[in-house]
Amino acid sequence: MKLDSKIPSGPIETSWDRHRFGMKLVNPANKRKYDVIVVGSGLAGASAAASLAELGYNVKCFCFQDSPRRAHSIAAQGGINAAKNYQNDGDSVYRLFYDTVKGGDYRAREQNVYRLAQVSVNIIDQCVAQGVPFAREYGGLLANRSFGGAQVSRTFYARGQTGQQLLIGAYQALERQIGAGNVKMYARHEMLDLVTVNGQARGIVTRDLVSGKLETHTGHAVLLCTGGYGNVFFLSTNAKNCNVTATWRAHKKGAAFANPCYTQIHPTCIPVSGDHQSKLTLMSESLRNDGRVWVPKQGGDKRSPADIPEGDRDYFLERRYPSFGNLVPRDVASRAAKAVCDEGRGVGPGGLGVYLDFSDAIKRLGEPAVRERYGNLFEMYERITGEDPYKVPMRIYPAVHYTMGGLWVDYNLMSTIPGLHVLGEANFSDHGANRLGASALMQGLADGYFVIPYTLGNYLAGTKLDPVGPDHPECRAAEAAVKERLDKFLSIKGKRTVDSFHRELGKLVWDKCGMSRTSDGLKEALKKIPALREEFWQNLNVLGSADSLNQSLEKAGRVADFLEFGELMCLDALEREESCGGHFREEHQTEEGEAKRNDDQFTHAAAWEWKGTNQKHELHKEPLTFDNVKLAQRSYK
Ligand SMILES: Cc1cc2nc3c(=O)[nH]c(=O)nc-3n(C[C@H](O)[C@H](O)[C@H](O)COP(=O)(O)OP(=O)(O)OC[C@H]3O[C@@H](n4cnc5c(N)ncnc54)[C@H](O)[C@@H]3O)c2cc1C
C-alpha cells in the first residue's frame, strides 16, 4: 500500500486554486453517463449528493434512517466556524487555519486545513442563500459567538440547533434533486459491504432494513459520508445508531484506517447517572462563552453550590489558563476536569462532575438574554436532570463526542481504494489529534459543497472504468458473503444479548483507551478484546429472522465490527508513544500535566492496512510537514 497524499506544492494560499485549475473536467453532457453512490445523508452526504446531482451526475443516496433529515448531524448544537471576520476582531483565513492546526496539536495536514479555512466563508454564503436562519445582531448582520481554542468570535449559530438548521438547508437541496429525478434516495437501507472490481470501488451491498432484502448497487464511484465511530464506547453523545460498519467494511476491502486512537472527549456533557444508561447528552460548548467552570477548593465539600462563597471556589480553567479561560480547547478542558475529580473535588453523585455556572452571566446580562442564547439547552438539561440551571449551576463531566480518526484520504478526499471517496466525520483529514468546536460542520459541508464536486470529476475524467452491473461475479460474491454473515448471527443462539457485549466493550475501551491511556492498560485491552470477540461469536443471541425488520440483527453486525475496530484503536494508541490532543498517554506529560508530543518520532498520520482475519495490521506512515506554522508546545495560558 502506498500513501500518496497528492498535496499541491508551492505557496499554501494558492494551493487549492492551482490544484483546481490542474484538475480534469467532465463535460456537462458526459456527466449524466456517470452513476455516483453516496452513502450517508448527514451534512457531508446531503451536501455532496445535492451538489453532484446539480452538476448533472446520476446519484444514488443511502441512509439507514427513515428520512435523510434524521442523520446524526441534526443533533449538532453550538455552531459552525467561518473566517468571515464580521466582528472585526482580528480574524482571517490564516488565523482560522493557524488555530485549527494548533488546536489539532500539529497532527493535521497544513494544506487541507488551509483549504478548509478558505472555503469556510463560502459555506456561510451558501447556507444563507438556502435560507438557514442563522442568529442575527439587532442591525441584521449575522451574529457570532466564541468557541474553544480561539480568541476571536467566528462561530455562526442558530440558537442551540445549528446542525438541524444546516441539515434542513442541505436536505432541501437534496430533495430538490430527488424531485428533479437526479437523485434516487434509499432510506432505511444499510450498506453492509463495498464491492471492488479490478481494485476500484464500484458498488455496495445493502440490506433493506424493513424487508430484509439484500441488494447490490453499482456505480462509477462510491462516496462514504457515514459519520464517526464514537459509539465504540457504547456511552457517547452520538446518536445511538452511529457506527463504524461502512468504513470498517471498506477498510477490510483495502481502505487504510488512519489515526483510530484520536477520539474526542467533550468536556461539557451531563454526567453518567447509572448503569441503566444507554446514551449521554451533550451540553454545547457554546455554553462556555458565558458559563464558568468551577469546583470547591476543598475535597469533600458537601455544601450546596449557592452556599459555597467565592473564596472557597476554584475556577480551575480560569486559574490554569488565564488567556483562554473557560474557552480552552476540548481536550485541555476535559483533562483539567478529570484532574480535579481525581483529586476528590468533583461534585454530584459519585464525584464525577464539575459545575458550569451561569449566575454571573445572569447578573450581567439578565435572564432573558441568557434564555435567548441558550434556552433550548437549559430546557434539555432540566428535563434530563430535574434541576433548573437558571437557579443552580449545571453539573457536567467529559464524555465521548467525536472521532478525528477515520479512513485515510488524499487531498482529493480519495481513500487508498481508487474511486472510494470519504467525506465528513468518516475521514481522518482536517482536525489532527483534536477537533476545535464548530469545525466538524464546517468540514462536512466543505467536503460536500466545495471539494468533492471538483475532485470527483478529476477522478472520473482520468480513469478507465469498465461496465459493471449487479450480476458481476464480485457483486455476487460480496452479496453472498453478507448473507452468510447475517445467517451466522442468527444461528449462534447463545445466551447474551448484543447490547451486553457492546456495553462490556464500551467500558473496556473507555477505561483503557478513553480520556487517558497507559501502555499497561492498552496491552490489557488488547488481550481482552479478542477474548470478548471470541465469546461474541460463540454466545450471541439474536432472535427473529433476516427477512423482516430486526434491530437486534442490525446491531449484531455493528457490534461485530466495533469488536474488531476497538482492537485497532487500542493498537494505534499503544503504538503512538506520545501525548497529543485527544490522545493522552500518561507516560508522556509535562510537569504541569499537559500533553507532551514527540515530534521527532510521531509527526505523521498513522494509516493502518488490514492484512486479513487474525493477522496483525500493517502500519504505514504519512509524514506531516509544517512549512507555514511553527511546531510548538501548545499553550493556552
Ligand atoms: C451532540 C452533538 C453535538 C454536536 N455539535 C456540533 C456543533 O455544534 N458544531 C460542529 O461543528 N460539530 C458538532 N458536532 C459534530 C457533528 O455533528 C458531526 O461531526 C457531523 O454532523 C457529522 O456529519 P456527517 O455528515 O459526517 O455524518 P452524520 O451526520 O453522522 O451522517 C451519517 C450518515 O451516514 C448514514 N450511514 C452511516 N452508516 C451507514 C451504512 N452502513 N449504510 C447506510 N447509511 C449509513 C447515516 O444514515 C447518516 O445519514 C456535534 C456532535 C454531537 C454528537
Side-chain angles (χ1 to χ4, degrees), residues 462-474:
T463 310
K464 184 173 172 315
L465 294 158
D466 298 329
V468 170
D471 287 330
H472 189 282
E474 294 291 349

Side-chain angles (χ1 to χ4, degrees), residues 507-551:
K507 177 152 181 11
L508 185 60
V509 287
W510 173 247
D511 287 347
K512 307 298 176 193
C513 196
M515 232 186 308
S516 69
R517 300 114 189 242
T518 64
S519 168
D520 287 348
L522 290 165
K523 285 180 186 153
E524 190 187 327
L526 284 168
K527 276 202 188 117
K528 287 187 171 164
I529 295 172
L532 187 63
R533 195 166 58 230
E534 179 73 22
E535 194 200 336
F536 174 90
W537 284 104
Q538 304 296 329
N539 198 19
L540 175 70
N541 189 9
V542 180
L543 300 175
S545 70
D547 55 9
S548 61
L549 180 73
N550 187 340
Q551 292 189 317

Side-chain angles (χ1 to χ4, degrees), residues 40-41 43-44 64-65 72-73 76-79 191 401-402 425 438 440-441:
S41 62
L43 284 174
F64 55 63
Q65 289 90 354
H72 161 68
S73 290
Q77 300 172 349
M191 168 192 159
H401 178 67
Y402 178 86
E425 191 173 342
L441 303 183

Side-chain angles (χ1 to χ4, degrees), residues 39-45 62-65 68 71-80 147 162 189-192 225-228 237-238 242-243 245-246 282 284 401-402 423-426 435 437-442:
V39 189
S41 62
L43 284 174
F62 297 80
C63 72
F64 55 63
Q65 289 90 354
H72 161 68
S73 290
I74 205 154
Q77 300 172 349
I80 175 167
F147 260 55
T162 315
H189 277 66
E190 181 165 26
M191 168 192 159
L192 294 180
C225 315
T226 49
T237 63
N238 284 225
C242 292
N243 65 78
T245 287
L282 174 78
S284 167
H401 178 67
Y402 178 86
L423 284 64
E425 191 173 342
R435 172 175 73 78
S439 288
L441 303 183
M442 171 173 71

Side-chain angles (χ1 to χ4, degrees), residues 38-47 61-65 67-81 145 147 155-156 160 162-163 166-167 185-186 188-193 204-206 224-228 236-239 241-247 249 264 266 279-286 330 380 400-403 423-427 431 435-445 558:
V38 178
V39 189
S41 62
L43 284 174
S47 58
C61 183
F62 297 80
C63 72
F64 55 63
Q65 289 90 354
S67 154
R69 264 191 60 183
R70 289 193 198 272
H72 161 68
S73 290
I74 205 154
Q77 300 172 349
I80 175 167
N81 286 332
R145 56 189 174 198
F147 260 55
T155 304
F156 295 76
T162 315
L166 292 173
L167 190 60
M185 186 71 218
Y186 295 81
R188 308 217 73 174
H189 277 66
E190 181 165 26
M191 168 192 159
L192 294 180
D193 210 351
I204 58 171
V205 178
T206 60
L224 294 188
C225 315
T226 49
S236 93
T237 63
N238 284 225
N241 280 336
C242 292
N243 65 78
V244 77
T245 287
T247 48
R249 307 273 169 105
Q264 178 159 84
H266 196 296
K279 170 91 186 71
L280 295 177
T281 306
L282 174 78
M283 287 286 103
S284 167
E285 177 161 316
S286 59
R330 293 172 177 181
M380 192 159 79
V400 174
H401 178 67
Y402 178 86
T403 49
L423 284 64
E425 191 173 342
N427 73 26
H431 309 293
R435 172 175 73 78
L436 291 184
S439 288
L441 303 183
M442 171 173 71
Q443 182 226 329
L445 291 179
R558 296 170 192 165

Side-chain angles (χ1 to χ4, degrees), residues 250-447:
H251 172 59
K252 290 172 82 168
K253 287 283 171 90
F257 213 112
N259 301 332
C261 78
Y262 290 169
T263 55
Q264 178 159 84
I265 315 289
H266 196 296
T268 56
C269 303
I270 299 181
V272 176
S273 62
D275 288 345
H276 59 281
Q277 235 172 320
S278 59
K279 170 91 186 71
L280 295 177
T281 306
L282 174 78
M283 287 286 103
S284 167
E285 177 161 316
S286 59
L287 294 169
R288 287 197 275 145
N289 272 269
D290 289 308
R292 297 180 70 193
V293 177
W294 65 275
V295 288
K297 277 190 178 158
Q298 290 302 321
D301 189 335
K302 295 285 177 228
R303 287 176 290 176
S304 75
D307 295 335
I308 301 180
E310 279 298 311
D312 291 349
R313 298 178 177 193
D314 179 12
Y315 293 92
F316 55 92
L317 292 178
E318 296 171 30
R319 172 175 56 78
R320 285 180 64 174
Y321 309 102
S323 301
F324 282 70
N326 293 295
L327 283 172
V328 286
R330 293 172 177 181
D331 56 332
V332 176
S334 295
R335 279 197 292 277
K338 180 175 185 302
V340 293
C341 292
D342 289 351
E343 287 165 18
R345 297 196 285 140
V347 299
L352 290 180
V354 301
Y355 290 128
L356 180 62
D357 193 340
F358 289 86
S359 50
D360 280 357
I362 291 171
K363 263 185 236 141
R364 192 177 70 245
L365 305 165
E367 193 175 309
V370 171
R371 192 179 295 279
E372 194 181 314
R373 284 182 198 173
Y374 312 112
N376 68 313
L377 300 171
F378 276 44
E379 190 186 320
M380 192 159 79
Y381 181 86
E382 186 174 3
R383 278 207 210 152
I384 293 174
T385 62
E387 291 170 12
D388 177 358
Y390 293 101
K391 300 206 168 67
V392 287
M394 288 183 179
R395 283 177 297 105
I396 51 160
Y397 194 69
V400 174
H401 178 67
Y402 178 86
T403 49
M404 282 77 68
L407 291 184
W408 183 92
V409 287
D410 63 17
Y411 189 69
N412 295 328
L413 303 181
M414 192 154 86
S415 71
T416 49
I417 300 178
L420 181 71
H421 296 74
V422 192
L423 284 64
E425 191 173 342
N427 73 26
F428 89 115
S429 64
D430 296 356
H431 309 293
N434 174 60
R435 172 175 73 78
L436 291 184
S439 288
L441 303 183
M442 171 173 71
Q443 182 226 329
L445 291 179
D447 289 357

